[in-house]
Amino acid sequence: LDLAYYNTTVDNQIVIVRVSPTSGTILQTRNEGSIENQGVEATLTQDILRTRDFQWTATLNFSLNRGKVKDLPDDMKYIAGGDTQYGDLYTTCYLGEATTGIVGSDYLRNDAGQVLVDENGYPRISPEKYIYLGNREPDCLIGLGSTFSWKDLSVSFLLDGRVGGKVANVTGRNLMSNGMSEYIARYRNHKVVFNGVVEQPDGTYVQNTTPVILDSQTYNNYIGNVGSNFIEDGSYLRLSYVTVGYDFSNLMRKLGSKNPIKGLRCSLTGRNLFLLTKYSGCDPQVMPEAANGTGAMGIDSYSVPALRSFNFNVNVTF
């Protein structure tokens, strides 16, 4: 069992600060601010079964990280990335909160979190622009690997997964706006009922039952321009690889000393064989990249998904 805990604080971040125009400028790039990262990493490796001809070993990995903004310059409460390619969605870090937040537009909601719908069956959109929509950082990462060996035959695999963490499906949003999404093809010009509640004169709420036509005007005014519609859970379980190998070295030795081959091993590996997730895009595992200091982890903006591949390997010793 290998356990590790870390806690790091990094000062003098590179931040862009809005300053008084009397200083001769509007924005300044300064070295200020402080962030903290702390987390846990654990690896458990165990021989489950060991006999003369058979061995079974398993490895379990677990990790989590929590990033937090400790300090920002002047009176700043948050820093929002300025990437316009995400529409009304902005990568954001709040003072005292996570470094990997995301904000955008949302519907008006009651105290129970239910969407408010007007008497005509259309959802009501909040006038606020920067509504906190979630944290892109996963709750934890897990992995389970195992190796089976029977005489000269071996089989190994790795399952890895992620629990929690929001993903902004910008690719799906653009496909919808272009009329190329499966959702649009299925429901275009059909009646739909928005999932929400209608406020009554006495302050109570009843479930919305009024259907509306999903045409381009409905989509543009009530769906496509609301960023929260494209924030999804990034949990997944993936079979990262399976390797089947066979060692022919014993057979090579039996062929005699005149055989120039002393060792021979062949293996076949399949990678990214299946993915289980509720994420509607190609792959919720979006590789992070730099984006105005707030990071682009969890932003699926035309990201290339992991490919499925097969490799055959031959190792020869002379």
Side-chain angles (χ1 to χ4, degrees):
L1 176 63
D2 183 11
L3 288 173
Y5 167 78
Y6 61 88
N7 188 310
T8 62
T9 300
V10 183
D11 297 321
N12 293 323
Q13 299 292 301
I14 301 177
V15 295
I16 300 176
V17 182
R18 184 176 294 275
V19 296
S20 172
T22 58
S23 63
T25 184
I26 298 177
L27 300 175
Q28 286 184 349
T29 301
R30 292 153 52 172
N31 287 104
E32 292 192 41
S34 175
I35 63 172
E36 177 188 65
N37 276 289
Q38 56 179 331
V40 175
E41 297 176 349
T43 302
L44 175 64
T45 303
Q46 178 65 47
D47 286 338
I48 298 176
L49 183 62
R50 182 183 292 271
T51 66
R52 179 180 177 181
D53 295 326
F54 183 79
Q55 297 180 20
W56 178 15
T57 302
T59 301
L60 179 66
N61 297 308
F62 174 86
S63 65
L64 61 84
N65 180 82
R66 297 293 181 266
K68 187 176 182 179
V69 181
K70 304 288 290 185
D71 180 64
L72 289 176
D74 298 341
D75 296 326
M76 296 179 64
K77 300 299 181 183
Y78 65 89
I79 294 179
D83 295 82
T84 57
Q85 66 204 50
Y86 306 146
D88 64 329
L89 295 174
Y90 296 88
T91 56
T92 309
C93 54
Y94 279 88
L95 181 63
E97 300 292 341
T99 58
T100 52
I102 186 167
V103 299
S105 59
D106 194 12
Y107 299 112
L108 288 173
R109 301 176 183 269
N110 59 14
D111 294 338
Q114 298 171 303
V115 176
L116 300 183
V117 179
D118 62 25
E119 62 277 6
N120 297 317
Y122 294 100
R124 299 164 58 187
I125 301 175
S126 173
E128 294 185 46
K129 183 178 180 180
Y130 294 103
I131 298 176
Y132 187 76
L133 301 178
N135 186 2
R136 294 170 285 133
E137 190 171 60
D139 297 334
C140 66
L141 300 174
I142 55 176
L144 174 63
S146 194
T147 300
F148 304 89
S149 299
W150 180 70
K151 294 185 178 181
D152 295 324
L153 176 67
S154 65
V155 179
S156 61
F157 70 86
L158 174 63
L159 284 166
D160 73 89
R162 156 178 160 161
V163 178
K166 299 299 184 181
V167 177
N169 191 356
V170 179
T171 303
R173 183 182 201 173
N174 293 339
L175 289 175
M176 283 192 180
S177 65
N178 294 331
M180 301 171 63
S181 170
E182 180 184 8
Y183 174 84
I184 294 296
R186 185 184 308 168
Y187 297 105
R188 180 188 287 118
N189 295 328
H190 287 71
K191 289 185 177 181
V192 296
V193 178
F194 282 99
N195 183 20
V197 294
V198 180
E199 187 174 6
Q200 303 301 297
D202 59 358
T204 60
Y205 300 94
V206 297
Q207 187 68 30
N208 174 48
T209 58
T210 304
V212 297
I213 298 297
L214 183 58
D215 53 17
S216 60
Q217 183 176 357
T218 300
Y219 172 78
N220 292 331
N221 294 337
Y222 299 99
I223 300 178
N225 63 338
V226 180
S228 61
N229 287 323
F230 307 94
I231 304 298
E232 303 183 39
D233 180 21
S235 301
Y236 69 85
L237 178 65
R238 185 195 313 272
L239 180 57
S240 290
Y241 71 82
V242 174
T243 298
V244 179
Y246 194 88
D247 193 342
F248 295 91
S249 299
N250 290 331
L251 178 60
M252 294 296 102
R253 286 191 288 268
K254 291 179 180 179
L255 295 179
S257 58
K258 294 183 178 181
N259 178 27
I261 300 178
K262 303 302 181 182
L264 175 62
R265 176 178 171 79
C266 299
S267 63
L268 176 65
T269 300
R271 300 184 182 278
N272 195 27
L273 297 180
F274 75 78
L275 174 67
L276 298 178
T277 181
K278 293 183 178 180
Y279 179 64
S280 64
C282 291
D283 195 330
Q285 189 179 20
V286 183
M287 297 302 293
E289 60 185 36
N292 291 341
T294 56
M297 177 183 70
I299 304 296
D300 183 2
S301 180
Y302 297 105
S303 302
V304 178
L307 302 178
R308 178 174 298 137
S309 63
F310 297 91
N311 302 93
F312 182 72
N313 298 291
V314 178
N315 296 320
V316 183
T317 302
F318 295 97

